[in-house]
Each structure stands twice: as C-alpha cells, then as structure tokens.
Amino acid sequence: MGFGSPEQVEATETALKRALIHGWQELLLQVECQQKDGFNRAQIFGNGVGIWNGKRQFELEKQQVRAMLEALDQASFARMPVVFQDAPASQGPVSTARGVRCQIQLELDATAKRAAQLPGQSASEKFLQLAVRLLEISRAAGGTTVRHLDEGLESIARGELAAETLHVSSQRKPSRGDSDPQGWLLELNGRVVESRSFTPEDGYGAPMRLELTDQALQTLAKRLVELSPRSLPQRLASDAYETLAFELLQYRRRVETARPGGPAPEVERQRRERVARALDVMRDLHLRVVAEGVSTTPNLAR
C-alpha cells in the first residue's frame, strides 16, 4: 500500500482512533518544518522519548503523546495528500534536499502515512497549524544533550540517555583464505539489533533480530565507552573489509579498514589493536543475536 492509497488512509484512520482508546504498541512520529528560527525537526517515539533537531533528547508524558495523536486525528491527517501541490501528488518519497517547507510522517501499529508541503505550492493552513502544534509540544519539553560521543555512551551506560538516541552499524567481510572467516553485517537501532552472518564461501545468511534489555544495552555501552569511540582512527589497514559506525544525537564516528599496502609500522599496529577490540564487541553482539534472536525472513513453506 502507498502512503496515500485508499487502503492506507482507512488503515491510518482506524489505527489513530484505536490508539486514542486502547493505546499503541509501535509509534514513530516525525515532524519537520521551516520556522522563523530555522528548519526544526522532532522525532517522537511511542515511549515518549523524543529528539529535537538531532541534538537534544526530550521526554513526553503519555498524555502529551496522546494529545499529538488526537491533534492528528482531529485534523484528518490520514486524509491529507502525500504532497500539497497544484499538480497531482507523487506517491514517491519527499526529500528535504528538494526544499520541503513542512513534513509530517507517522508510523503507527503497522500503518504509515506522510504529508508534505513544498515551497511555492498552495498553502494548507490546517496542515501547517498541525505541524506547528506538534513542534510546540516538542520544543517546550526541554531535554538533555551531551558534549561528545563518549559522553553520550556514558549517559546510556548510566541509564540517563535513552536507547533511541543511539545507532551503531558494523560489517566484517573476510575474503577467501582469510585466517578468520567469520563475518557479519549488523545494525543496532536503540535496543533492536539485526545481524547477518557472512562467510566467503556462503555469502550472507538470513537476518536475525534481537531486542536488548535495558541492562544489556547499558553493558554494551560500558564496553564501548572503554574504547573511546570518538578517538578511534577513521581509516587503517586490515586483511578484511571492516566498518564500524556510531551515531548518537548529532555526533558521528566511522571507522573503515582497507587492505594494507605493506608492513604496518608500530603506530599502525597500536591503532589496529584498538579497532580490533571494538570489532570484538560487535562480534560478541552478532553472536548473541545469532544465538538468541529470531529470523526476520518470512517462512514461505506451505
């Protein structure tokens, strides 16, 4: 179903009304809009955790999240077009790179709906007022920020910063003849980890998914803090292609390896040891997902 198909409109309307009466299981609301003080963006998760402009974590009470859903329902958000414009609306994705004036996207209990206002197109005051209302609730919530990546990980380890602020990805792709044939492709979004095994002979295995407990996530963050990810080298030599990337609020760090061109000097060896320890943390997480997770591949057997 597309974002604006009749089936999706009905499904979103039903999901909103059900959520207002019975609550919700899964929720992600994203609002971005050009305002007087610049382009503002808020992400709100179902547990009330929010992120303002990618830089600050805030928290909403359940009734505040419910008030947002009520505003969406009262504004008939489900029936708004995908794009407010004079020409027929496209069903494709709308990118802020194209100059979106305002955009709201809702994912609610297996339904999804998006509406966007582009510059120079016919204004929808009802839509813009809705977006401003949602942003006002988010802006007023205050919140927490951190000074750098390592401090953010420390805050997660102490349970002060929410899991939703963290994204980690890692890949190890050994080649044939590598002394260590174990590889993986891993993504951690908040508490949810999805990972796939890789070997040079068999390629990628089926994706596996695991949701970490708060304690498991905090333990992972503690291990990562000890390695000071923000000071890891960005490129270095290795016999296998490996990547490790961190995103926490506005902070980013990416490590990538390439095949060595010759013997590594002592400083390169020390740099490699630090990255190897970080990759060991990812290996341990991957193996845990494989052992305890569930397959995300649909079972097509009849």
Side-chain angles (χ1 to χ4, degrees):
M1 290 187 293
F3 279 100
S5 68
E7 297 84 1
Q8 191 62 51
V9 168
E10 183 178 352
T12 302
E13 280 190 327
T14 301
L16 275 169
K17 295 185 184 304
R18 185 187 300 117
L20 290 171
I21 297 173
H22 302 293
W24 53 89
Q25 295 297 318
E26 296 181 357
L27 168 64
L28 174 60
L29 175 61
Q30 301 185 78
V31 188
E32 49 189 356
C33 207
Q34 183 67 45
Q35 299 185 288
K36 291 182 180 179
D37 61 341
F39 198 85
N40 289 314
R41 182 171 185 262
Q43 291 176 284
I44 300 96
F45 299 86
N47 59 359
V49 169
I51 300 175
W52 178 262
N53 284 339
K55 299 179 179 180
R56 171 171 59 84
Q57 172 191 300
F58 60 90
E59 294 187 30
L60 300 176
E61 300 292 337
K62 186 171 184 179
Q63 58 265 33
Q64 291 177 295
V65 180
R66 188 182 185 281
M68 288 183 162
L69 295 179
E70 191 169 43
L72 289 164
D73 183 52
Q74 291 178 349
S76 300
F77 172 69
R79 295 191 174 276
M80 290 182 179
V82 175
V83 180
F84 289 93
Q85 58 182 14
D86 300 327
S90 166
Q91 299 299 308
V94 178
S95 169
T96 54
R98 290 172 49 194
V100 168
R101 179 183 178 188
C102 211
Q103 183 169 230
I104 302 174
Q105 183 164 322
L106 173 68
E107 298 175 27
L108 175 63
D109 293 337
T111 70
K113 168 65 183 179
R114 178 183 61 236
Q117 179 95 52
L118 303 182
Q121 300 294 341
S122 299
S124 168
E125 290 305 319
K126 187 176 184 180
F127 171 72
L128 294 177
Q129 289 171 6
L130 172 62
V132 169
R133 173 60 180 151
L134 298 175
L135 287 173
E136 283 177 348
I137 296 173
S138 302
R139 188 198 296 267
T144 304
T145 189
V146 294
R147 294 173 296 176
H148 49 72
L149 175 60
D150 292 0
E151 183 177 85
L153 287 169
E154 290 171 357
S155 295
I156 289 177
R158 293 193 298 266
E160 298 170 354
L161 205 60
E164 287 79 5
T165 61
L166 179 65
H167 173 80
V168 182
S169 63
S170 178
Q171 181 178 14
R172 185 175 192 277
K173 194 173 182 181
S175 58
R176 292 183 182 274
D178 196 305
S179 58
D180 181 3
Q182 176 65 56
W184 61 82
L185 179 61
L186 179 147
E187 294 277 344
L188 167 68
N189 284 293
R191 296 179 186 80
V192 178
V193 195
E194 185 168 294
S195 196
R196 304 175 67 181
S197 297
F198 176 86
T199 63
E201 292 75 19
D202 301 324
Y204 289 103
M208 303 291 289
R209 184 180 184 275
L210 178 67
E211 184 167 353
L212 301 178
T213 63
D214 287 342
Q215 183 178 0
L217 180 66
Q218 290 169 16
T219 299
L220 174 66
K222 288 176 184 177
R223 293 187 66 187
L224 292 172
V225 166
E226 294 171 356
L227 301 168
S228 184
R230 72 171 178 148
S231 63
L232 287 173
Q234 293 180 290
R235 289 188 64 84
L236 74 167
S238 172
D239 289 330
Y241 175 72
E242 298 156 321
T243 63
L244 178 56
F246 299 90
E247 296 181 17
L248 194 153
L249 295 178
Q250 74 267 42
Y251 300 106
R252 308 284 187 272
R253 191 67 174 181
R254 178 178 171 85
V255 181
E256 185 173 357
T257 70
R259 290 194 171 280
E266 177 64 16
V267 65
E268 183 75 1
R269 184 187 66 81
Q270 294 174 356
R271 284 154 48 94
R272 172 62 197 166
E273 286 177 354
R274 290 189 60 211
V275 172
R277 292 198 299 272
L279 288 168
D280 283 344
V281 176
M282 294 297 102
R283 182 196 301 270
D284 291 346
L285 181 58
H286 163 70
L287 293 176
R288 179 172 183 176
V289 175
V290 171
E292 303 176 19
V294 296
S295 174
T296 61
T297 303
N299 185 356
L300 302 179
R302 298 291 183 183

